[in-house]
Amino acid sequence: MEEAHLTPATPSPFFPLAGPHKYIALLLVVLSWILVQRWSLRKQKGPRSWPVIGATVEQLRNYHRMHDWLVGYLSRHRTVTVDMPFTSYTYIADPVNVEHVLKTNFTNYPKGIVYRSYMDVLLGDGIFNADGELWRKQRKTASFEFASKNLRDFSAIVFREYSLKLSGILSQASKAGKVVDMQELYMRMTLDSICKVGFGVEIGTLSPDLPENSFAQAFDAANIIITLRFIDPLWRIKRFFHVGSEALLAQSIKLVDEFTYSVIRRRKAEIVEVRASGKQEKMKHDILSRFIELGEAGDDGGGFGDDKSLRDVVLNFVIAGRDTTATTLSWFTHMAMSHPDVAEKLRRELCAFEAERAREEGVTLVLCGGADADDKAFAARVAQFAGLLTYDSLGKLVYLHACVTETLRLYPAVPQDPKGILEDDVLPDGTKVRAGGMVTYVPYSMGRMEYNWGPDAASFRPERWINEDGAFRNASPFKFTAFQAGPRICLGKDSAYLQMKMALAILFRFYSFRLLEGHPVQYRMMTILSMAHGLKVRVSRAV
Ligand code: HEM
């Protein structure tokens, strides 16, 4: 044993030095490697990167406030690279780079296989998750549907009906002095609306007793867990062993699927019934019926012949139409509460509009006795006002339009939108991006950048959207990116404005809102910028 200690160490064939030299050499190799790493990162704009783990630790530490974390870096650099294990994410906020990615070199920046692999479980082959021919066909079919006057007229009726239901709930809450969660109510309203407009189904989550809705809960849980996948390198292992967040995800998707397939079965049965009755005029104008018909005709614009494809259509439209709109309505309400001058100016616009429209239509406005009016008289007055709101007349509400747009500038419903990179490329500002990585345009940051909006970029100021003649002033879609831009620009933008303006005109004409004292308003990290704790308010009638 003693001898063994005295025997000089045998040099390894892989490391031919022995004794202390071996350790010094090893240290030198490690130091040189670190130096090379630091040298190659010297021009990197973004958080500090470490060998192998990249910036994972800093990113995880800031995960709960990631959008603001990025604001900090992007205000200094315009383009930021964040290294992650085995990949890197490039974040952009300069409209010139955004135009390059979303339009000029569009084909190089698809959703990509990484994004698809994360989202597949929820979105399947639906339009949000599709690239190439599969996307093109769905886009064509859906664009055609969105342009139809039938759908627009039907939507206006549905949006008015559900806004009035929401008004009824608020009216009762104001009388009872009850606290309400506006985000939850908006989510119910937009879910009911998209189910009616999208799939011709009445699901009634906005009925006065506010029933539990397991679909909505499971859908939200799935969305949160999928967002976590973007920074959780272990998610595939968790999925394989069916543990932790991935086990919960599987459960949530099961619930979501049960609901969705039941909607499809119901619509198919109704279509058969209408056909058997021979009453074609009873055929509904919803989007799902249209896709079912296309699938049956074999002219299915993207393969909608089977229930799985229809399931993907349904869920993609739910995610498109429900959360985005409800989230924007919630942030709008928060902005109006925290900017009383804006709320007052909006109210004046709505009252003037009401008087003018009533004159135009020859309507005598009912006297309802003010805020203490009895319920029936108050409801009648609200319904009378709602009757004056049409697709065309809502176009006259320029200040309301500006307030909604300003809300989206600072609180875009989709705060970050990642794209895959097919081939190495150089962005217009000289940043190199590598095939297989990801480039993300960041609407949340873009709205707050002084280089995009001037020194008051961070202030909520709807007036910036109105020109000297009092008309709405548009901005380049590559600078105001809340609806994306280029060939994949949001298809539901007009529909979303129609619904939001219909609801907000009614609510802000007849109610005032006060944030519940001490209620925290913060976003939650998920693909949509929803509020982590909802939006708890007290509401009062204001005739
Ligand atoms: C405030 C409301 C809304 C906002 C801020 C918004 C924003 C967006 C954004 C950022 C995208 C691109 C997402 C991506 O890269 O995948 C998008 C796509 C889309 N949106 Fe909207 N959206 C809104 C409402 C709606 C509504 C109400 C509908 C339909 C009912 C809708 C239908 C779509 C569709 C179908 C796409 C996919 C377009 C494509 O990939 O070709 N959106 N929207």
Side-chain angles (χ1 to χ4, degrees), residues 1-9:
M1 286 294 271
E2 285 295 304
E3 251 184 18
H5 265 264
L6 296 172
T7 312

Side-chain angles (χ1 to χ4, degrees), residues 121-235:
V121 64
L122 185 61
L123 300 179
D125 288 330
I127 186 165
F128 271 105
N129 210 25
D131 281 321
E133 210 36 38
L134 189 60
W135 165 73
R136 221 179 312 280
K137 281 179 164 180
Q138 290 190 59
R139 172 96 193 174
K140 205 169 141 211
T141 311
S143 306
F144 186 73
E145 289 312 308
F146 272 98
S148 98
K149 191 168 174 314
N150 266 345
L151 186 70
R152 201 183 77 191
D153 294 347
F154 177 51
S155 304
I157 294 168
V158 172
F159 295 157
R160 188 181 303 118
E161 186 190 325
Y162 287 118
S163 300
L164 284 171
K165 280 192 184 194
L166 176 56
S167 166
I169 291 169
L170 294 182
S171 174
Q172 292 311 313
S174 76
K175 265 184 74 179
K178 245 173 68 184
V179 170
V180 287
D181 179 350
M182 285 309 293
Q183 176 168 266
E184 203 223 326
L185 293 176
Y186 286 142
M187 286 280 183
R188 286 173 184 268
M189 180 182 77
T190 53
L191 181 62
D192 282 11
S193 306
I194 190 65
C195 286
K196 191 72 197 258
V197 172
F199 330 122
V201 185
E202 197 96 45
I203 62 164
T205 68
L206 198 61
S207 29
D209 53 335
L210 300 179
E212 278 285 305
N213 186 273
S214 54
F215 167 74
Q217 282 160 6
F219 193 78
D220 289 344
N223 198 328
I224 292 168
I225 298 168
I226 287 170
T227 310
L228 200 60
R229 283 179 168 184
F230 282 85
I231 61 142
D232 179 2
L234 301 180
W235 73 267

Side-chain angles (χ1 to χ4, degrees), residues 25 82 131 146 180 205 231 257 292 318 337 358 360 426 445 447 484 486 527:
V82 179
D131 281 321
F146 272 98
V180 287
T205 68
I231 61 142
D257 280 354
I292 292 175
V318 170
M337 286 188 298
E360 271 173 19
V426 182
S445 291
Q484 189 163 254
T527 45

Side-chain angles (χ1 to χ4, degrees), residues 111 127-128 135 139 146 194 317 320-321 324-325 328 408 413-414 417 419 441 481-484 487-492 495-496 500:
K111 292 276 169 169
I127 186 165
F128 271 105
W135 165 73
R139 172 96 193 174
F146 272 98
I194 190 65
F317 276 92
T324 47
T325 313
T328 309
L408 281 161
V414 180
D417 194 357
K419 307 287 168 196
Y441 72 94
T481 49
F483 291 97
Q484 189 163 254
R488 285 192 90 143
I489 194 167
C490 172
L491 271 175
S495 174
M500 292 189 288

